[in-house]
């Protein structure tokens, strides 16, 4: 018995192999390393064999999944979510449908502040419960690793509570979680007239607590007219970096405001949104090595133009695509839908979108040495799709094509049991 698990006879085994490269850029984003009639063998939670089905036998494994007529991909990585929150905002959704803008609702005391009010009052156990359902949903659409940000607490106690909730989620859920501290999501209403004091609180009180208790891997700031200035962002993120956290920025989402340039300056792991980033900013970002995380679900949900991913890819940037799952600007965990949107609306090829939710998304979390592709030695995070080729996943859009999900070598979901 060679393998604990063998997935074989796959019509297409899409490896996204990078040969050790951290990210794919340019034309490499379209190189998926597809093996027709492929097989992948798993031992001790890791990938032990990748190749042709001819080279392996069913008897080689304790358990086999016959993927005949199906497509196998690396587990997806959702590199940007805010999925821990209380309450919902259907009424704001209704107001937007009737014509109000996201910014108008925020200016009238709604938006992020609505969710902050509900979240501060919630019991941690209820936040865990609702977030577990959302994580189930993420996993159900193929995300075996998910980044989760705090940011709906916005006071010391509530931000720490949210990060503790995220830690509890990791103990309870099979999805691997990358926790991010987003204490600088917006200025909370009680600090509106004394914003420097809020930045002091983030830097002097929240960050030390977050890092001394190892509650987050990275720190994010929403740099925007309605949130934090460049100087405030720089102060918070430099302090976070000095404490060993990786840096990411909600940059240039609503306006071009220098967020992307700041991400480059600070050596950020990712710069996210970037809808309005200038060509000069993209050149700086490229030189810095940051991953550009694009979020088509936000544009769809808010009725805004989609970012043009071609600009980013042609500028040589590693592009990732994520959901941004949150109650205000994208209430969806469906990464398969985001891939279809990216292809249909952001001028990405289907191959590029697959790289964008696997290897490059893993790189946005600093994990592409371990996850994001099907290569020997990597963690066995694998997806089996009920489609004869990878293109069908995007083309037949808005539905869930998953047949089986493997996390760290364990089959955590299987739609049909006939092959078990
Ligand atoms: O990523 N940009 C800032 N934050 C979220 C929206 C959060 C909310 O509206 O609750 C975003 O779009
Ligand atoms: Fe976000």
């Amino acid at each position: 018995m060679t393998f604990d698990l063998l997935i074989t006879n796959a019509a297409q085994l899409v490896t996204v192999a990078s040969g050790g490269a951290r990210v794919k850029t340019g034309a490499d984003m379209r190189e998926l390393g597809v093996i027709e009639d492929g097989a992948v063998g798993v031992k001790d939670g890791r990938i032990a064999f990748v190749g042709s089905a001819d080279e392996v036998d069913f008897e080689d494994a304790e358990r086999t999944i016959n993927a005949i007529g199906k497509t196998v991909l690396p587990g997806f990585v959702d590199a940007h979510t805010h999925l821990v929150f209380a309450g919902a905002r259907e009424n704001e959704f209704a107001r937007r449908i009737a014509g109000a803008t996201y910014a108008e609702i925020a200016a009238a005391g709604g938006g992020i502040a609505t969710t902050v009010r509900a979240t501060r009052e919630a019991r941690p156990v209820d936040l865990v419960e609702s977030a577990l359902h959302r994580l189930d949903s993420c996993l159900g659409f193929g995300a075996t690793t998910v980044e989760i940000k705090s940011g709906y607490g916005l006071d010391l106690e509530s931000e720490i509570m949210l990060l503790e909730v995220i830690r509890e989620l990791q103990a309870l859920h099979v999805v691997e979680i990358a926790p991010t501290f987003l204490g600088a999501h917006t200025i909370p209403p009680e600090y509106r007239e004394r914003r420097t004091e809020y930045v002091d609180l983030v830097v002097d009180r929240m960050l030390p607590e977050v890092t001394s208790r190892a509650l987050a891997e990275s720190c994010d700031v929403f740099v925007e007219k309605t949130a934090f200035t460049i100087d405030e962002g720089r102060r918070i993120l430099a302090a976070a970096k000095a404490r060993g956290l990786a840096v990411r920025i909600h940059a240039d989402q609503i306006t071009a405001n220098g967020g992307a340039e700041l991400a480059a300056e600070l050596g950020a792991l990712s710069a996210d949104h970037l809808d309005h980033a200038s060509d000069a900013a993209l050149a700086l970002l490229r030189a810095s090595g940051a991953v550009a995380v694009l979020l088509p679900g936000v544009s769809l949900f808010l009725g805004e133009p989609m970012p043009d991913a071609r600009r980013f890819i042609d500028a040589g940037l590693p592009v990732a695509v994520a959901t941004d799952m949150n109650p205000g600007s994208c209430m969806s965990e469906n990464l398969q839908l985001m891939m279809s949107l990216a292809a249909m609306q952001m001028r990405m090829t289907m191959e590029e979108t697959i790289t964008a939710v696997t290897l490059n998304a893993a790189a946005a979390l600093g994990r592409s040495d371990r996850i994001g592709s099907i290569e020997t030695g990597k963690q066995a995070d694998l997806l089996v799709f009920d489609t004869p080729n990878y293109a069908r996943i995007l083309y037949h859009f808005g539905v869930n094509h998953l047949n089986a999900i493997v996390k760290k070598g364990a089959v955590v979901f299987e739609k049909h049991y006939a092959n078990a």
Side-chain angles (χ1 to χ4, degrees):
M1 201 70 63
T2 320
F3 305 119
D4 301 330
L5 173 69
L6 177 68
I7 303 176
T8 188
N9 299 326
Q12 290 187 335
L13 177 71
V14 181
T15 65
V16 200
S18 72
R22 184 183 72 94
V23 291
K24 284 179 184 277
T25 57
D28 281 348
M29 277 191 71
R30 301 189 279 279
E31 294 300 324
L32 294 181
V34 177
I35 301 172
E36 314 254 317
D37 198 21
V40 51
V42 175
K43 181 84 186 157
D44 297 328
R46 300 197 162 273
I47 296 166
F49 169 84
V50 183
S52 163
D54 295 345
E55 300 169 64
V56 288
D57 283 315
F58 271 45
E59 295 76 58
D60 291 343
E62 200 145 314
R63 178 164 184 190
T64 305
I65 293 178
N66 188 356
I68 193 158
K70 298 184 171 59
T71 298
V72 177
L73 269 77
F76 294 159
V77 176
D78 193 341
H80 184 140
T81 85
H82 310 242
L83 64 70
V84 179
F85 58 87
R89 309 212 309 251
E90 290 93 341
N91 46 7
E92 292 182 6
F93 185 61
R95 281 160 64 193
R96 280 201 303 99
I97 288 171
T101 66
Y102 182 80
E104 283 164 6
I105 290 169
I112 295 172
T114 303
T115 300
V116 169
R117 281 190 292 274
T119 303
R120 283 178 178 171
E121 281 168 21
R123 295 187 307 166
V125 63
D126 295 324
L127 290 166
V128 168
E129 175 76 18
S130 59
L132 282 174
H133 285 291
R134 293 181 199 121
L135 270 181
D136 284 346
S137 193
C138 293
L139 179 66
F141 286 110
T144 48
T145 301
V146 174
E147 186 259 14
I148 308 178
K149 303 173 198 298
S150 67
Y152 290 118
L154 307 186
D155 60 39
L156 176 64
E157 192 189 335
S158 308
E159 281 297 309
I160 296 302
M161 181 264 287
L162 288 173
L163 291 170
E164 286 170 347
V165 164
I166 295 171
R167 175 168 283 183
E168 177 73 2
L169 292 172
Q170 184 61 99
L172 295 173
H173 207 283
V174 67
V175 164
E176 203 173 320
I177 296 169
T180 298
F181 170 59
L182 178 60
H185 195 184
T186 193
I187 304 275
E190 65 274 21
Y191 280 92
R192 196 133 290 162
E193 305 309 321
R194 42 190 184 113
R195 51 189 300 137
T196 308
E197 278 177 50
Y198 186 69
V199 177
D200 292 343
L201 178 70
V202 171
V203 171
D204 299 334
R205 304 281 306 283
M206 294 189 193
L207 270 175
E209 179 97 5
V210 170
T211 54
S212 68
R213 295 181 53 201
L215 287 167
E217 290 177 10
S218 56
C219 180
D220 194 341
V221 172
F222 186 17
V223 173
E224 192 61 61
K225 266 203 203 100
T226 54
F228 294 86
T229 66
I230 285 291
D231 288 341
E232 290 165 344
R234 182 184 286 109
R235 196 180 145 211
I236 293 163
L237 292 168
K241 197 175 164 183
R243 290 185 172 276
L245 295 181
V247 168
R248 38 184 108 258
I249 301 186
H250 279 70
D252 301 336
Q253 178 186 358
I254 302 165
T255 54
N257 53 48
E261 289 87 340
L262 182 62
E265 175 190 321
L266 293 171
L269 208 42
S270 72
D272 302 44
H273 288 281
L274 297 170
D275 302 64
H276 297 275
S278 68
D279 288 343
L282 296 195
L284 288 171
L285 266 187
R286 186 199 119 85
S288 79
V291 176
V293 180
L294 304 182
L295 305 162
V298 176
S299 309
L300 179 75
F301 198 76
L302 297 183
E304 302 286 341
M306 296 274 167
D308 179 4
R310 265 292 37 87
R311 275 182 66 219
F312 292 76
I313 295 170
D314 293 348
L317 274 158
V319 169
V321 167
T323 61
D324 199 7
M325 198 295 150
N326 77 76
S329 71
C330 186
M331 189 69 164
S332 173
E333 301 92 339
N334 188 344
L335 209 40
Q336 291 176 54
L337 176 61
M338 303 312 155
M339 293 163 72
S340 292
L341 288 175
M344 293 188 290
Q345 303 280 311
M346 284 172 28
R347 299 207 297 150
M348 288 176 81
T349 70
M350 292 189 275
E351 292 76 17
E352 287 164 349
T353 70
I354 288 173
T355 300
V357 297
T358 55
L359 189 82
N360 285 1
L365 303 185
R367 295 175 188 220
S368 60
D369 55 337
R370 183 159 57 79
I371 56 173
S373 62
I374 303 179
E375 294 177 269
T376 53
K378 275 198 162 175
Q379 188 168 296
D381 292 2
L382 304 164
L383 306 175
V384 182
F385 285 89
D386 267 328
T387 62
N389 53 59
Y390 63 78
R392 188 73 62 85
I393 302 166
L394 287 84
Y395 160 64
H396 185 173
F397 75 100
V399 295
N400 192 344
H401 293 284
L402 269 164
N403 178 271
I405 303 170
V406 176
K407 180 66 188 176
K408 292 185 182 162
V411 180
V412 294
F413 168 79
E414 205 171 13
K415 190 165 152 194
H416 303 297
Y417 295 94
N419 300 325

